[in-house]
Amino acid sequence: MTELLITIPGRLPGMNEYQMACRSHWSNGAKMKSDAQQICELYMAKAKRKKVHFEKADISIVWYEKNKRRDKDNISFGRKFIFDALQSMGILDNDGWGQIAEIRERFEVDKGNPRIEILLRAVE
């Protein structure tokens, strides 16, 4: 079974931060999305040493936050940046029903090492 583990250090913008950026000026939201997606792409490139492509995948995401200040639904908005980066890197063709079978998320606290761990598993 084909698997790919991607670790992104730190954290991605949450829904609240993204909405505030969009409300301040349309270009601020666009820049925030672009910056977050580029961070995802950088660490996907590091994880993807050989060409990996999934026709369909189960995706598990573990969000390691430095504390419990952000709500889980706010944190998980980062999926938008992750899924768009998976497409732009050619790991998935799209982020629709035909390409993503199941999404699992877990939330943990790691004060010393906040990060996001993404595991893709091929679905036959």
Side-chain angles (χ1 to χ4, degrees):
M1 176 181 284
T2 305
E3 292 186 345
L4 177 63
L5 177 64
I6 302 158
T7 301
I8 301 170
R11 64 184 209 169
L12 295 172
M15 174 64 108
N16 294 343
E17 294 129 318
Y18 182 70
Q19 284 180 334
M20 293 279 284
C22 289
R23 288 180 184 148
S24 66
H25 190 273
W26 69 266
S27 67
N28 292 342
K31 180 167 178 15
M32 180 180 279
K33 181 188 181 301
S34 174
D35 291 348
Q37 187 171 330
Q38 284 180 343
I39 289 167
C40 294
E41 290 170 2
L42 171 70
Y43 290 99
M44 287 175 186
K46 288 182 179 188
K48 186 180 121 170
R49 292 185 184 99
K50 61 180 190 232
K51 184 150 178 74
V52 178
H53 180 267
F54 294 86
E55 293 295 323
K56 190 169 192 169
D58 286 334
I59 301 177
S60 298
I61 304 173
V62 184
W63 306 92
Y64 291 92
E65 290 280 304
K66 64 181 178 180
N67 54 43
K68 293 182 178 180
R69 289 191 177 165
R70 297 198 308 168
D71 294 336
K72 292 177 179 181
D73 63 332
N74 191 27
I75 295 165
S76 68
F77 176 73
R79 283 184 309 211
K80 174 68 179 155
F81 310 123
I82 292 167
F83 290 176
D84 288 351
L86 287 169
Q87 290 178 76
S88 68
M89 294 295 293
I91 298 170
L92 289 174
D93 289 333
N94 199 343
D95 60 359
W97 291 66
Q99 295 76 35
I100 298 176
E102 185 175 325
I103 301 169
R104 283 183 233 119
E105 292 181 291
R106 200 172 83 227
F107 300 84
E108 302 289 340
V109 174
D110 188 340
K111 184 178 179 181
N113 185 21
R115 65 195 180 279
I116 305 151
E117 293 180 354
I118 306 143
L119 178 64
L120 286 87
R121 285 193 180 112
V123 173
E124 305 303 322

